[in-house]
């Protein structure tokens, strides 16, 4: 057996560990608040441990007056390519309505902190670190991309509305009221086939399929296909449901922020102002005058 010098062995091990680290995927975790005081907000994390609670050190932070959530209610720990939810709260954690002490999470799981507490959806995007291929290596000219191939490219989609969350890996996603659509929205303003989002040449595009221009992008009716940009607002029909585009094929229910004077943290919203009837306080002199007036008025 050949003898390997310790320094050479150490160098070989370091190279192997470096290669293994380069293959560890980057995972972006998204916590979508779908019910409760933070409804409509989205938290994004890449750290290995995510803490949930009312304590100021929490990553997913709830206001101090949400008493159903403990100060240190739960944590989500990454273990390789999986995520473990561990409950620490007095009122417990529920995953898809089932009470758990700890469990591994799946894409789109609904987590409720205490039985009647706030709800979140757990989402993640996994991107493997792979060696980039240059145009000469791939045999495709960067100046003349194969557009016919690009049209068949599959995009990654995540759509959420209410408690319904779905993920897709396909070229296009259709939205409408009919059950044949990929993402069904049962709303009076939504048509049977309303719109679709498709992936082409590394971009996501919105197309109206209602044939009556019932899809709006940032308040304007859609007359032709438009590329989507982060923070775009898609409205389906007059006063219909709205979706907030978060980039990379992710659309979530758009919840309009409450005016400051109606926010849940405002004292006016909890204790509306009451007008008190002014109380007249009589002095001793007034009482004496009143006493003699009853004899002089006759």
């Amino acid at each position: 057996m050949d003898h390997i010098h310790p320094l050479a062995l150490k160098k070989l091990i370091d190279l192997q560990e470096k290669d293994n680290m380069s293959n560890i995927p980057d995972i972006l975790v998204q916590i979508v608040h779908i019910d409760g005081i933070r409804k409509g907000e989205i938290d994004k994390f890449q750290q290995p441990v995510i803490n949930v609670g009312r304590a100021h050190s929490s990553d997913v932070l709830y206001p101090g007056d949400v008493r159903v959530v403990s100060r240190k209610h739960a944590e989500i720990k990454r273990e390789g390519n999986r995520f473990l939810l561990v409950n620490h709260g007095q009122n417990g954690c529920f995953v898809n309505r089932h009470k758990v002490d700890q469990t591994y999470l799946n894409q789109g799981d609904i987590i409720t902190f205490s039985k009647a507490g706030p709800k979140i959806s757990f989402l993640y995007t996994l991107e493997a670190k792979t060696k980039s291929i240059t145009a000469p290596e791939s045999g495709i000219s960067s100046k003349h991309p194969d557009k016919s191939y690009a049209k068949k490219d599959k995009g990654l989609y995540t759509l959420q509305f209410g408690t319904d969350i779905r993920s897709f890996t396909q070229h296009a996603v259709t939205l409408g009221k009919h059950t044949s659509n990929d993402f069904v929205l049962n709303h009076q303003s939504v048509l049977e086939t309303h719109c679709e989002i498709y992936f082409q040449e590394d971009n996501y595009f919105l197309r109206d399929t209602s044939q009556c221009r019932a899809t709006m992008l940032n308040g304007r009716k859609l007359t032709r296909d438009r590329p989507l940009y982060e923070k775009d607002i898609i409205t389906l029909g007059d006063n219909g449901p709205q979706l907030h585009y978060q980039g990379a094929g992710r659309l979530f229910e758009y919840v309009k922020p409450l005016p400051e004077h109606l926010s849940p943290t405002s004292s006016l919203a909890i204790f509306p102002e009451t007008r008190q009837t002014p109380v007249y306080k009589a002095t001793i002199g007034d009482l004496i005058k009143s006493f003699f007036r009853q004899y002089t008025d006759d």
Side-chain angles (χ1 to χ4, degrees), residues 47-180:
Q47 67 256 36
V49 178
I50 302 169
N51 294 298
V52 182
R54 292 185 292 111
H56 292 299
S57 59
S58 300
D59 302 302
V60 180
L61 178 63
Y62 286 98
D65 56 355
V66 184
R67 294 296 180 180
V68 293
V69 176
S70 300
R71 288 180 53 80
K72 295 182 179 180
H73 198 101
E75 63 179 352
I76 300 172
K77 300 190 293 185
R78 178 177 175 179
E79 296 183 354
N81 291 340
R82 299 203 296 174
F83 290 88
L84 180 69
L85 172 69
V86 181
N87 172 61
H88 299 302
Q90 182 178 358
N91 295 325
C93 291
F94 297 78
V95 177
N96 302 324
R97 298 183 180 180
H98 298 287
K99 190 173 184 179
V100 298
D101 288 325
Q102 62 178 37
T103 186
Y104 285 103
L105 297 172
N106 296 312
Q107 181 82 293
D109 276 347
I110 305 297
I111 306 171
T112 309
F113 301 113
S114 86
K115 193 170 185 179
K119 292 181 182 179
I120 66 167
S121 175
F122 175 81
L123 302 170
Y124 64 88
T125 303
L126 186 148
E127 297 179 355
K129 297 178 181 178
T130 57
K131 181 182 176 182
S132 60
I133 301 176
T134 61
E137 288 178 307
S138 64
I140 300 175
S141 171
S142 59
K143 294 183 179 179
H144 303 284
D146 186 353
K147 292 187 177 181
S148 63
Y149 174 79
K151 290 180 180 179
K152 298 177 183 178
D153 252 356
K154 292 182 178 181
L156 299 174
Y157 301 87
T158 302
L159 285 85
Q160 173 267 328
F161 191 84
T163 58
D164 189 13
I165 298 179
R166 297 196 61 190
S167 298
F168 306 91
T169 305
Q170 56 197 51
H171 172 61
V173 172
T174 59
L175 292 83
K177 186 181 294 185
H178 196 272
T179 55
S180 61

Side-chain angles (χ1 to χ4, degrees), residues 25 67 119 206 211-212 243 286:
R67 294 296 180 180
K119 292 181 182 179
L206 176 65
Q211 298 182 350
C212 61
L243 297 171
D286 293 332

Side-chain angles (χ1 to χ4, degrees), residues 184-245:
V184 179
L185 290 160
N186 189 13
H187 191 280
Q188 60 183 4
S189 298
V190 178
L191 303 179
E192 295 293 306
T193 56
H194 207 112
C195 67
E196 75 172 5
I197 301 159
Y198 63 92
F199 184 70
Q200 180 174 308
E201 297 179 348
D202 297 328
N203 289 310
Y204 290 86
F205 293 82
L206 176 65
R207 172 182 294 160
D208 178 65
T209 56
S210 66
Q211 298 182 350
C212 61
R213 298 181 181 179
T215 305
M216 287 182 284
L217 182 62
N218 300 324
R220 296 185 177 182
K221 288 191 175 183
L222 201 65
T223 57
R224 59 187 176 89
D225 296 8
R226 293 281 186 180
L228 289 172
Y229 299 99
E230 194 168 343
K231 298 184 179 180
D232 278 347
I233 304 296
I234 301 170
T235 307
L236 307 183
D238 295 331
N239 300 316
Q242 293 184 306
L243 297 171
H244 192 189
Y245 185 64

